[in-house]
Amino acid sequence: MIKALFTPALLSAALISGSALAADYDIDPAHTTVLFKINHLGFSETVGRFNTFNGSYSYDEAKPSASAIEVTIDAESLDTNHDARDKHIKSPDFLDTKQYPEITFKSKGYKGSATQGTLTGELTLHGVTKDVNLAITKVGEGKDPWGNYRSGFNGSVTIKREEFGVDQMLGGIGNDVTIELFVEGIRK
Amino acid sequence: MYGESVSPLALLLPAAVYPMLAAIASGLIIYKLEQHKRDRLLFWLIPLLFFLSWLAGATGIHSRWQFPPARAMDWLLVASLLPVLATRLPEQIRMSGFGVSCLLAFGLIAQPLVSRMGGVDLFAQIIGWMLICGIAISSADRQKNAALFPVSLIVMIVMSAVVTGISSSLSIAQLIGALAAVLGGMWLLNRLVAISASGMMAASQAVMALWIMVQAYAHYYGDVSIYALVILSAPLLWTWDKQAHLSIKQLIRTVAISLVPGLLALWMVWPEQSLY
């Protein structure tokens, strides 16, 4: 009888303590990069990045499955090191950033170890939301020289732009877009 | 632009061939109805037919078009009918009616942008567009030469397609190009069968209304310079001589006058870096 009463209570306590241990981090834009690359005519990969974004994540080394991340990217901050091309990619031909100014990713679950795994979540791009799986690798964590606690991860996912309604010039510009995240966060 | 393997024919069909064929078919309908003196029917049918002719191409360019509209370009293909029909309002209320209809239509198209605009900005945009639309329709109303005005309009439209394509979006450039094809089709047909001057002017005004809407879309969604668009549209202010007959000399003069501001606009938007 006592065991029956205490087991759920102990389980709840364990769960609560688990989530309490999960640390929340703010993404540090100065040490975070959101890159994408796309094939050009079958000859090369063109690389671009988004310069403005914000977000936060939770990470607990002891319970990696509780990890979560939310990122919002300013689509207007796209930068491929070519002004005319940037303007074209931001136009209604591709990202239509005036209509869809934000790209967001919100995780739904994580599978894997504390250092490597797959983060599943919803990517909203060009007004279309789809589930994607990010391959995540932990780079490291610890205190910086100023006493802030930091952790860092790399993530990568390849999406088909056509599935997000970005289907112009599929003949010459690849359908596969690889998005790479290099994230560093400062613990709150 | 990228040397991609998309066939030029696939780009050309919706931007030129389909709208031109649809406009020629519309022109033949107008010609037949004019012969049967169906003036009341034609009054509203002419702008509607030219809107549909443009739509024949536009739905091929914006292949994800859906109804009811969900995205800005979906709205563009529907709401543009309002200013097109407003070109047929009675003369005493046409200027204000056309301006209001343009604003209403663009309010629908620009919903995501309007919701992000501040009050002062929105007010300034409304005043600016009312002014532009009012000047455009009153200039078009002053036109009496049904042969030269459409030529001038076609040149301006082609230049705005080039300016938009170079500085921003190929799909918007195609939408603009489809307008040139529509008016071009009607103009060519008019060389073969005699469509009335009033019919030709009504078709030109309908196309001009559509052109204003697509240019507004190009400016707000494609970030095409408003100064370039206004400069290339300046020949609208030129009133073509009613007595001037269509001759090679007149044609060259009309094209030249209409082309020069367009070239200036093209120079304004030409990218500093090489095209890619």
Side-chain angles (χ1 to χ4, degrees):
Chain A
M1 179 64 183
I2 290 170
K3 192 181 171 186
L5 279 171
F6 271 83
T7 306
L10 284 170
L11 272 172
S12 308
L15 281 171
I16 290 163
S17 66
S19 61
L21 283 171
D24 295 328
Y25 293 80
D26 278 329
I27 287 174
D28 175 11
H31 297 97
T32 297
T33 305
V34 182
L35 293 183
F36 64 89
K37 59 182 181 183
I38 190 163
N39 188 277
H40 178 235
L41 300 171
F43 301 147
S44 63
E45 299 291 335
T46 299
V47 181
R49 68 182 190 199
F50 292 96
N51 293 327
T52 310
F53 44 80
N54 62 68
S56 58
Y57 63 89
S58 298
Y59 169 70
D60 175 12
E61 192 169 9
K63 200 180 172 203
S65 62
S67 302
I69 185 167
E70 273 190 51
V71 183
T72 302
I73 298 164
D74 177 7
E76 280 279 345
S77 70
L78 178 136
D79 178 359
T80 66
N81 199 28
H82 192 293
D83 289 343
R85 180 171 56 206
D86 291 352
K87 199 171 174 190
H88 191 196
I89 299 174
K90 287 189 262 183
S91 82
D93 283 0
F94 293 97
L95 295 182
D96 203 355
T97 57
K98 290 282 192 298
Q99 187 168 188
Y100 306 112
E102 286 184 347
I103 299 166
T104 61
F105 177 76
K106 189 176 182 182
S107 68
K108 295 200 302 190
Y110 177 80
K111 278 182 188 168
S113 68
T115 54
Q116 206 162 12
T118 303
L119 192 66
T120 305
E122 288 180 337
L123 175 68
T124 302
L125 169 72
H126 195 240
V128 178
T129 302
K130 287 202 172 291
D131 280 359
V132 296
N133 297 313
L134 257 92
I136 299 284
T137 309
K138 182 181 166 185
V139 179
E141 66 178 309
K143 277 194 174 178
D144 66 18
W146 301 274
N148 299 310
Y149 197 88
R150 293 172 179 264
S151 64
F153 301 85
N154 294 343
S156 174
V157 61
T158 300
I159 59 166
K160 297 218 176 283
R161 64 183 175 102
E162 190 180 28
E163 292 177 357
F164 289 85
V166 187
D167 55 2
Q168 285 269 349
M169 298 179 177
L170 281 168
I173 303 166
N175 191 14
D176 288 349
V177 183
T178 301
I179 302 167
E180 293 188 17
L181 300 165
F182 303 92
V183 179
E184 185 173 301
I186 305 170
R187 196 157 72 187
K188 289 179 186 174
Chain B
M1 192 173 277
Y2 294 95
E4 69 275 15
S5 62
V6 175
S7 95
L9 186 66
L11 291 171
L12 211 62
L13 281 174
V17 180
Y18 297 153
M20 186 176 274
L21 290 176
I24 290 171
S26 301
L28 286 172
I29 294 169
I30 293 164
Y31 173 67
K32 281 288 166 197
L33 289 172
E34 278 183 348
Q35 282 189 324
H36 291 90
K37 309 278 181 216
R38 303 295 296 272
D39 293 347
R40 285 174 72 91
L41 174 66
L42 276 169
F43 189 81
W44 292 106
L45 194 64
I46 291 173
L48 185 64
L49 280 174
F50 283 91
F51 172 76
L52 293 174
S53 301
W54 174 68
L55 213 55
T59 50
I61 295 158
H62 176 43
S63 54
R64 288 174 180 267
W65 185 62
Q66 61 184 65
F67 191 87
R71 286 162 296 183
M73 210 181 265
D74 299 338
W75 279 107
L76 176 70
L77 271 52
V78 178
S80 299
L81 181 59
L82 275 175
V84 168
L85 294 178
T87 59
R88 303 305 265 163
L89 287 171
E91 216 165 301
Q92 60 272 29
I93 59 161
R94 193 178 300 158
M95 194 171 160
S96 54
F98 181 73
V100 169
S101 69
C102 282
L103 278 182
L104 274 176
F106 206 73
L108 292 170
I109 296 162
Q111 291 167 61
L113 302 178
V114 171
S115 62
R116 294 201 294 269
M117 273 181 194
V120 176
D121 191 16
L122 188 62
F123 180 73
Q125 305 282 341
I126 288 172
I127 298 296
W129 279 104
M130 284 289 275
L131 208 63
I132 287 173
C133 294
I135 291 170
I137 194 70
S138 62
S139 302
D141 274 344
R142 276 205 313 274
Q143 303 294 338
K144 301 290 177 217
N145 193 317
L148 295 181
F149 176 56
V151 171
S152 171
L153 200 50
I154 290 167
V155 173
M156 285 184 271
I157 294 172
V158 167
M159 287 313 293
S160 89
V162 174
V163 162
T164 303
I166 292 286
S167 70
S168 174
S169 158
L170 288 183
S171 54
I172 305 177
Q174 280 181 287
L175 287 175
I176 298 172
L179 287 169
V182 166
L183 198 53
M186 179 70 169
W187 189 85
L188 285 174
L189 183 72
N190 202 25
R191 305 299 102 215
L192 302 173
V193 297
I195 293 166
S196 69
S198 62
M200 199 63 207
M201 292 307 285
S204 302
Q205 289 197 354
V207 169
M208 187 197 72
L210 284 168
W211 182 46
I212 290 173
M213 294 309 293
V214 186
Q215 286 204 109
Y217 181 86
H219 169 61
Y220 285 103
Y221 284 99
D223 233 357
V224 179
S225 160
I226 188 69
Y227 302 112
L229 294 178
V230 167
I231 284 172
L232 67 84
S233 311
L236 272 179
L237 300 172
W238 190 283
T239 307
W240 302 98
D241 183 8
K242 188 184 176 183
Q243 307 304 325
H245 293 291
L246 190 65
S247 62
I248 294 292
K249 193 181 162 192
Q250 281 292 347
L251 207 59
I252 292 170
R253 182 172 167 267
T254 309
V255 169
I257 290 170
S258 310
L259 188 68
V260 171
L263 292 174
L264 181 63
L266 190 58
W267 173 75
M268 281 176 71
V269 302
W270 196 264
E272 286 176 18
Q273 293 157 302
S274 61
L275 288 174
Y276 38 101

